[in-house]
Amino acid sequence: MQFELFVSLRYLLARRKQAFISVISLISVLGVAIGVASLIVVLGVMNGFSENLRDKILGINSHLIVGSVKQTIENYDRLVDKSMQLDGIAAATPFIYYEVMLSTPSGVKGVVLRGIDPNTAGQVLSVEKDLVSGSLKDLGNQADTPGIVIGKELATRLGLTMGSRVSLLAPSGKKSAAGFSPKILFFNVVGIFNSGMYEYDSSLVFVSIPEAQKILGFEGDVVTGIEYRVTDIDAVQQTGELLVRSLGGFPLYSRNWIEMNQNLFAALKLEKTAMAVILTMIVLVGSFSIITTLVMMVMEKTKDIAVLMALGATPPQIRNIFILQGSLIGAVGTSIGFGLGLAICSLLKKYQFIKLPADVYYLDHLPVKTELLDMSLIAVSAMILCFLATLYPARQAAGMHPTEALRYE
């Protein structure tokens, strides 16, 4: 065994008279371990929140939207067929997007109207998977009164169930001698969805494209835009630019999920960074306890250091002894922290024993996702902090003069 490592281990595993030093070393190990474990758990939860929120948003919304500055798109079937030949496009569906009023005997509510194609919408959106009752196919199968799919929160608020009759009021009405009269169409509830996002579940309704065109007064077979699901969501910006060029460019334009939710994800990223900085302070506190341990060790081992130097140990060797000792404390603390943090993350993911109020948050438990990059940064940062903590005590020990140290012994 290397001389410096041998002496470091002997000092760390001190017994009898030096038992107090061992207790201090144990406290230093626990300080680093708790800091590392806290970082792993908190960053894992933040990653879980970000991924869960992204999945929710990308479920009810598409990855990519192509629209027109003219507000509507004609011959959209041709554009859909052409875009499906492009690499990176997994699915496409036309849509109509507008704000209307939903009226029931129990009240009136402003909602977002989404006209969709029941045959292709499920390939791009998750609304078909989110249905708790009914089916998208029923939107186009109603002979007399057309069908409508509403969110669970909206149904609860207005007291609606399957088969309930509602009316939609659109601003595409007509002026008459009695004043302006909005256009009104009646619908039967043929489906109720639960996306898990209160904002969507309380203000979003789906109807078929022909019914949306009818209530909005569109002239001809036109839509607001085309929604796409792409194969690589991280390269959606490049895919959108290539898609618009392939469809003829202006007046078409593209918008992707990153642009439409930029502020939200930027806030989550900032919050994650702030939490990481705050919890790194815990690791820093643990590293300061390493300084305390080594300073006390140097004071306790003054005679031993002098004897070693008198026997031929060089100042660099003495310095390496205490650097190795502090690094060993950091390595053991980091390892224990990793084991503890990953164990807590695993338990949170499996048993979900920390519950959240579903009426406040969009999910009822803490989501957890550990990422290799975060784990690597935590390990490297903890070891660097622990290493830096050893430099001052090690330099003090290496600068000791044997004669001065033994003068009063």
Side-chain angles (χ1 to χ4, degrees), residues 278-299:
I278 293 171
L279 290 170
T280 300
M281 297 297 104
I282 300 179
V283 182
L284 189 60
V285 170
S287 66
F288 275 122
S289 66
I290 293 178
I291 297 178
T292 304
T293 301
L294 295 183
V295 168
M296 293 184 65
M297 183 72 72
V298 170
M299 295 173 60

Side-chain angles (χ1 to χ4, degrees), residues 46-102:
M46 292 302 297
N47 289 334
F49 264 110
S50 297
E51 185 183 61
N52 194 286
L53 182 60
R54 187 190 67 183
D55 292 343
K56 294 285 187 183
I57 291 175
L58 293 184
I60 207 69
N61 294 298
S62 58
H63 299 166
L64 181 66
I65 291 176
V66 169
S68 173
V69 295
K70 296 180 179 179
Q71 305 302 322
T72 59
I73 298 177
E74 300 176 349
N75 300 319
Y76 57 88
D77 288 331
R78 180 182 61 83
L79 296 180
V80 169
D81 294 337
K82 187 175 181 180
S83 59
M84 288 302 298
Q85 300 173 9
L86 191 69
D87 290 338
I89 301 298
T93 184
F95 75 97
I96 292 175
Y97 186 95
Y98 217 85
E99 293 182 4
V100 297
M101 295 292 292
L102 186 145

